[in-house]
């Protein structure tokens, strides 16, 4: 906030009517660094109190709307393969994410709740030998912090010589956000 070249005093900053900081005017300017971590809409107001009047007559300098957007979600996955070929896709999200992750597989929507930033989507027993690609893990947010997101999921099921099944991830999906 610019109050004038020779001005001295304090600017008090309010967010949604609550005082968040008092900043001394230096060289006619007072500024506030906002470290707001919760997405949403806020009204920021600044009031200038001159040294000359002992904070008696405050001047409203500015009022502005300030928006913190939802954050992009970070997603990656690993596979959890059981002896009976029960396949679980373990989707790792931001630690504080809440919501669900769903994967449409063989015409069935498999959904898991996110707990501590992790969703374990069980696809069931897979016994058909082939590449499974084009699958998508879809995150649906239930909080106000993160945007919804999606992640491609690909893996291959192949038969080994001894008759057991081998399931591997193809290719390494990396991290999406």
């Amino acid at each position: 906030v610019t109050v004038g070249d020779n001005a001295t005093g304090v600017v008090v900053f309010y967010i949604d009517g609550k005082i968040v900081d008092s900043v001394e005017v230096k060289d006619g300017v007072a500024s506030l660094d906002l470290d707001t971590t919760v997405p949403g809409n806020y009204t920021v107001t600044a009031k200038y109190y001159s040294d000359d009047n002992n904070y008696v007559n405050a001047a409203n300098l500015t009022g502005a709307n300030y928006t913190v957007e939802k954050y992009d979600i970070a997603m990656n996955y690993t596979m959890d393969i059981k002896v009976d070929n029960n396949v679980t896709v373990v989707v790792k999200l931001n630690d504080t994410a809440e919501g669900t992750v769903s994967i449409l597989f063989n015409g069935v929507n498999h959904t898991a709740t996110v707990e501590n930033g992790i969703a374990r989507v069980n696809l069931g027993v897979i016994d058909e030998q082939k590449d499974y690609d084009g699958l998508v893990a879809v995150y649906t947010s239930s909080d106000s912090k993160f945007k919804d997101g999606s992640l491609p999921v690909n893996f291959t099921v192949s038969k080994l010589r001894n008759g057991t099944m081998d399931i591997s991830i193809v290719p390494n999906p990396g991290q999406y956000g």
Side-chain angles (χ1 to χ4, degrees):
V1 174
T2 302
V3 293
D5 291 340
N6 296 322
T8 59
V10 173
V11 173
V12 178
F13 289 93
Y14 300 80
I15 295 181
D16 293 337
K18 295 179 184 172
I19 294 175
V20 293
D21 204 357
S22 296
V23 178
E24 185 178 338
V25 176
K26 293 181 183 172
D27 298 323
V29 176
S31 62
L32 174 70
D33 291 326
L34 293 177
D35 186 22
T36 306
T37 58
V38 179
N41 296 314
Y42 303 93
T43 301
V44 179
T45 306
K47 291 185 179 180
Y48 169 59
Y49 296 88
S50 169
D51 279 342
D52 296 337
N53 62 19
N54 273 340
Y55 309 105
V56 175
N57 295 317
N60 282 323
L61 293 179
T62 184
N65 292 325
Y66 177 71
T67 300
V68 177
E69 299 292 333
K70 283 186 173 187
Y71 303 109
D72 290 331
I73 191 74
M75 299 176 70
N76 61 37
Y77 75 91
T78 58
M79 304 296 285
D80 183 14
I81 312 302
K82 302 296 184 198
V83 174
D84 62 359
N85 299 324
N86 192 25
V87 176
T88 300
V89 179
V90 181
V91 179
K92 175 76 173 101
L93 305 144
N94 298 73
D95 290 341
T96 59
E98 298 174 0
T100 59
V101 173
S102 300
I103 298 175
L104 183 62
F105 180 71
N106 284 340
V108 177
N109 197 27
H110 301 267
T111 301
T113 300
V114 177
E115 295 179 14
N116 299 317
I118 296 174
R120 299 178 192 291
V121 183
N122 189 329
L123 302 181
V125 175
I126 300 175
D127 55 7
E128 187 175 353
Q129 186 177 328
K130 70 178 192 176
D131 289 336
Y132 291 91
D133 56 6
L135 301 175
V136 177
V138 176
Y139 167 67
T140 304
S141 176
S142 67
D143 61 31
S144 60
K145 283 186 181 179
F146 298 102
K147 297 176 185 175
D148 294 347
S150 62
L151 170 72
V153 175
N154 303 303
F155 59 94
T156 300
V157 176
S158 58
K159 195 163 196 140
L160 298 176
R161 284 182 285 198
N162 65 7
T164 62
M165 301 296 279
D166 177 40
I167 301 177
S168 60
I169 300 170
V170 179
N172 181 353
Q175 183 169 344
Y176 294 78

